[in-house]
Amino acid sequence: MTATSQPVDHTGLDRLIDELRRGANAWASISLHERAALLLRTRDAVRDTAAAWADTAIRIKQTPPSVRGEEWLAGPYITMATLTATAQTLTTLARGGNPVDGIPVGQAPGGRITLEVLPHGVQEALLLNGFSGAIWMPPGVGIDEVRATAGLGARRPTESGGVGLVLGAGNATLIGPLDALYELVAHNRVSVLKLNPTFAEMLPVYEKAFAPLIRRDLLRIINGEGDVGEYITGHPDVGHVHITGSASTHDAIVWGRGTEGERRRATHAPLMSKPITSELGGVSPIIVVPGKWSDADLAYQAENVATQKLQNSGHNCIAGQAMIMSSSWPQRAQFLDAIRKVFDSLPPRENWYPGSDRNMARAQHAYPHAERHGGRMLIEVGDSTSDELYRTEYFSPVLGHTTIPGIGVDFLRNAVRFANDRLVGTLGAGLIVAPHDRKEMGGAFTEAIAELRYGTIGINCWSATGYLAPVMPWGAYPGNTIDDVGSGIGVVHNTRLIADPERVVVNGPFRPFPRSWLGGEASTAPPMPWFVTSKANTSASKALTHYAGHPGWGRIPGVFKAILMP
């Protein structure tokens, strides 16, 4: 059945924006204590709708039973964790504290300081055992400057940020709501959240989950096609736009489409002059540092790579797409075989995101010798093939691999240059390295990481782990402009409200427990429940969501039980 396009209801949208304008003024009179309490009431509303939220997303995506935990984690779980952490930051500010109080400060190459924000507290240390993460500040920014600006708009709660438009992404159900939440807390800006048409069915769920914010005229959530977004973008009472999507959509908003858009860009005469922030994806590398790995290491890291590519059927802006290996690594063929085995073992999965089949056909055309494994593609890219995979985000289950020379530090430096210079985008990068090899590289390893220009870097874990930890800022490596937007401008999440971070670096265990101890890692982490191969994918995700709805010691045993005895 074909949907019939309806005229845009200008009167209804005008009324909605007027309600939000009044809500923005009211927000400026709400104390930080009241704001924190409102966020916790919103968390409780999300908790009450968690099952409906996950079930609706599962139905939309036709998610297979073995990985339905994805819709719990990348939905109500992270949303509730973000609301809790943000409320804690507002409470700290209300009491006269600073959001970075209690955070250890470290050093990184190039005159950078780091904020060691993960894990924070004993409960988080237990739940994320084996993981650590830090926010890196730009060179020359000291802790005094960080402290003076931490809190962003919440430091100036009486200043209204007006009304903004959030154009929600259509691949993960948490993105749009959390973008709107960040606008509210970090910039004192209320939002119209326009859903991507893929998530039209989510509207009644969202309306219940975010009812506390909607009742206070701080948020409106609507469906609509592009003409609805176009009208709101041009509305005189809407002062800011935030988009999660593609660079082409961003450019269409800023410059327009077709030859007119090209003319505007050439003359630097944007169609839209309002400020715009964005998160736009790219081609994410997975750098594999050569080492001497056991068969178990090869199998585990193959599952790691498969997860980075195949979670959500590859429909992620942060999905690993270009795996970079050493041409001198004796185990390279063995590792590729392990990846093929994982690809072949997974149950069939719907390429549900619009355009995915077209993208795969494009990849097949560019690489006629591409391997097919259970509906997934594995492509070798080299000097004799097209380099389209480096320049095109396929947003589908397509994994490329290539080789460059070198071992140890030489390889890592070459791989960093390759990722920086050859791949499109700067959102996230993954790196796999055995503890022994990392130790041998010493300070040169951290220096190489400092040269890797990505917003989030995951070492021995998917960079999306930074997305699972709402304390981490999420966005492209800084420096993009509307003329060359790359992977976007600005950050979201960032529950400590740190101003102008440079990047995030997250570390995970190279081996799960108990093999981690044999390899010298102080980790008791079992295989990660978000792996696409995990038998605990759904049970652990539900347990984590239950914990996030009302954090406390009494719920932690249930999480471990769900992970260890799914």
Side-chain angles (χ1 to χ4, degrees), residues 230-273:
E230 184 177 348
Y231 179 76
I232 300 175
T233 299
H235 198 284
D237 288 336
V238 172
H240 182 272
V241 175
H242 178 82
I243 176 175
T244 297
S246 67
S248 60
T249 302
H250 168 276
D251 289 348
I253 293 169
V254 174
W255 306 106
R257 298 184 185 275
T259 55
E260 177 64 14
E262 294 172 3
R263 183 193 66 79
R264 286 182 173 278
R265 185 194 287 271
T267 58
H268 199 74
L271 182 66
M272 186 192 77
S273 57

Side-chain angles (χ1 to χ4, degrees), residues 354-535:
S356 178
D357 289 340
R358 183 173 63 250
N359 290 340
M360 293 191 75
R362 176 177 177 173
Q364 183 71 63
H365 179 76
Y367 302 96
H369 300 295
E371 301 176 34
R372 289 274 187 167
H373 296 275
R376 297 105 190 172
M377 297 179 69
L378 186 63
I379 299 171
E380 184 172 6
V381 186
D383 293 340
S384 62
T385 73
S386 167
D387 68 349
E388 180 184 278
L389 187 137
Y390 304 153
R391 298 178 283 105
T392 304
E393 182 187 9
Y394 288 125
F395 214 71
S396 58
V398 176
L399 176 65
H401 61 94
T402 192
T403 57
I404 59 174
I407 58 172
V409 172
D410 289 339
F411 166 79
L412 182 55
R413 288 170 177 157
N414 290 338
V416 166
R417 282 193 293 270
F418 185 96
N420 286 342
D421 298 342
R422 298 291 302 277
L423 306 185
V424 169
T426 61
L427 185 62
L431 188 144
I432 301 172
V433 58
H436 171 77
D437 299 310
R438 178 173 179 171
K439 184 177 180 180
E440 278 203 341
M441 286 185 268
F445 178 85
T446 309
E447 290 171 2
I449 296 300
E451 293 300 318
L452 189 57
R453 297 191 297 269
Y454 286 82
T456 298
I457 299 171
I459 301 172
N460 291 333
C461 59
W462 187 15
S463 56
T465 308
Y467 205 92
L468 278 170
V471 69
M472 297 300 193
W474 182 259
Y477 191 82
N480 295 324
T481 66
I482 60 169
D483 300 272
D484 185 10
V485 73
S487 290
I489 300 168
V491 301
V492 292
H493 297 194
N494 187 27
T495 58
R496 296 281 182 152
L497 302 177
I498 305 299
D500 302 320
E502 181 186 64
R503 76 180 88 193
V504 161
V505 178
V506 185
N507 290 274
F510 178 75
R511 301 176 179 93
F513 181 80
R515 290 194 305 109
S516 56
W517 284 29
L518 299 176
E521 297 177 278
S523 168
T524 58
M528 295 302 102
W530 54 82
F531 273 24
V532 292
T533 51
S534 172
K535 294 180 180 179

Side-chain angles (χ1 to χ4, degrees), residues 36-73:
L38 179 60
L39 296 190
L40 293 180
R41 289 198 298 275
T42 305
R43 180 197 67 190
D44 293 345
V46 173
R47 180 187 64 213
D48 293 343
T49 59
W53 182 327
D55 289 344
T56 304
I58 288 165
R59 184 171 64 251
I60 291 169
K61 300 181 182 183
Q62 303 176 54
T63 309
S66 62
V67 289
R68 286 179 177 170
E70 292 177 1
E71 301 313 322
W72 290 83
L73 283 181

